[in-house]
DNA sequence: TAGTTTGTTCGGATCGTTCCGAACAAACTA
DNA sequence: TAGTTTGTTCGGAACGATCCGAACAAACTA
């Protein structure tokens, strides 16, 4: 019989594999199942048993990566945090930057490798494959947006592919 | 002016972000640009300046993950290692397992979350999105195989999606 | 059988990351 | 202005992962 706590810990593990810290992953897990659509830092520290300094860096990273957004209610005295509307869309789109990065890595290889036919063919194949995925993956996302439009909010986050994901790009979200 | 060594180090960094060890990443980098289509462990240790014990575990992981295959020439006395034909296809396919995993995480969330409509909708959306990607991504790979068939070897590695990628699944290859 | 080569496993050292508590800065309150 | 609350930054501790050298096992050679 699973509990909310167990789910939060699972989420921590899952998102840690995506390159986030454990704490950041647990925050996302909590925001996913919490009835309130937002939480504040002291509350998160309390519920997750984490020092506020750690929470500060975790939330800072989550915000910079675009997974969580920070806001302050009109006359409020503390920030609140909620999941971005298109959290997972962003996660997937972050993958796309990876595709491009690996295509560039292949290019770098082509620039240094000699004229050996086999090596060149291998690197060209690598480059082309990642380029292909980088080209085609957005279409998949668009199709999902199209087929699952819930409200009239248009294609969720069609713009603003965030190239930075955390400070050094998220390793692999779609993974 | 880039050199082969610099490329190998870059590859080490890139593949490290995918969840491989630095050494394993450098091995892949070297195999990518090396004119010989295979290498042996002592040679890799020499060229990469790594202890043979480290090389042993790196190669073992690469082999178990399906990125590198080990073979022994007919009357040879030492193993040789080469990139799998479909290295990157495997990498991409490993991502698919991730999709399924995150869909399951969402299910776990739905099992513990109350009846709050917003939370449930968010988790259902997460589940559906990852499920969608898990369904559709293979088609993308197949299409690439179809459009880039170089020889008559059929769709490269159509079978055998490797669920384990390293011991604990590769974080994000396609990423 | 003795010796060599190849590869794996083990214990300890090293490295990078995360985390905590404390100090600090900024905004608000009384 | 003094005090409180919120959030960030800093130094050090703790943890995990990798790596190395050494011991070990297995296969082959002479």
């Amino acid at each position: 019989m699973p509990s909310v706590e167990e789910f939060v810990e699972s989420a921590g593990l899952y998102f840690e594999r995506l390159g986030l810290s454990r704490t950041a992953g647990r925050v996302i897990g909590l925001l996913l199942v919490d009835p309130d659509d937002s939480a504040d830092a002291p509350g998160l520290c309390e519920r997750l048993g984490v020092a506020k300094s750690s929470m500060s860096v975790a939330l800072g990273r989550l915000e910079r990566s675009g997974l969580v957004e920070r806001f302050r209610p009109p006359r409020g005295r503390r920030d609140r945090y909620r999941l971005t509307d298109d959290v997972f869309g962003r996660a997937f789109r972050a993958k796309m930057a990876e595709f491009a990065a690996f295509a560039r890595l292949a290019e770098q290889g082509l620039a240094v490798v000699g004229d050996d036919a086999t090596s060149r063919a291998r690197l060209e194949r690598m480059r082309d494959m990642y380029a292909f995925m980088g080209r085609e993956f957005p279409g998949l996302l668009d199709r999902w947006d199209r087929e699952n439009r819930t409200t009239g909010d248009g294609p969720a986050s069609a713009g603003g592919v965030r190239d930075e994901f955390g400070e050094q790009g998220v390793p692999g979200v779609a993974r």
Side-chain angles (χ1 to χ4, degrees), chain A:
Chain A
M1 184 58 186
S3 69
V4 169
E5 283 78 15
E6 286 168 346
F7 171 76
V8 168
E9 294 308 319
S10 289
L13 288 167
Y14 275 73
F15 287 99
E16 187 175 33
R17 285 204 288 170
L18 295 195
L20 303 179
S21 72
R22 182 74 63 98
T23 304
R26 293 167 74 215
V27 168
I28 292 188
L30 189 54
L31 290 176
L32 274 172
V33 296
D34 199 69
D36 300 336
D37 65 319
S38 70
D40 56 40
L44 288 169
C45 290
E46 167 68 20
R47 294 190 60 177
L48 297 180
V50 167
K52 71 172 182 170
S53 55
S54 309
M55 189 55 71
S56 176
V57 315
L59 289 172
R61 282 211 241 264
L62 284 173
E63 187 190 14
R64 276 192 300 278
S65 71
L67 294 178
V68 160
E69 51 192 14
R70 179 198 310 245
F71 66 101
R72 173 100 53 146
R75 272 165 312 287
R77 312 241 322 262
R78 52 174 70 169
D79 293 342
R80 297 193 65 82
Y81 303 86
R82 70 179 153 221
L83 293 174
T84 304
D85 273 7
D86 187 37
V87 207
F88 299 107
R90 277 180 182 278
F92 279 103
R93 284 174 213 277
K95 282 268 166 271
M96 288 166 24
E98 265 181 50
F99 294 153
F102 271 82
R104 280 194 300 273
L105 179 65
E107 283 290 357
Q108 188 183 345
L110 283 168
V112 304
V113 78
D115 54 0
D116 176 66
T118 308
S119 299
R120 297 201 73 84
R122 194 163 41 211
L123 286 164
E124 284 165 7
R125 193 176 171 82
M126 170 179 170
R127 176 197 59 192
D128 295 343
M129 187 167 184
Y130 279 101
F132 173 87
M133 293 300 164
R135 268 196 318 275
E136 299 298 326
F137 202 72
L140 219 54
L141 272 171
D142 291 343
R143 218 179 88 211
W144 193 82
D145 282 341
R146 221 175 309 126
E147 295 173 7
N148 291 72
R149 192 163 309 162
T150 53
T151 70
D153 52 5
S157 87
V161 169
R162 190 168 287 244
D163 200 15
E164 54 118 11
F165 208 96
E167 280 87 354
Q168 48 196 5
V170 143
V173 164
R175 53 165 101 169

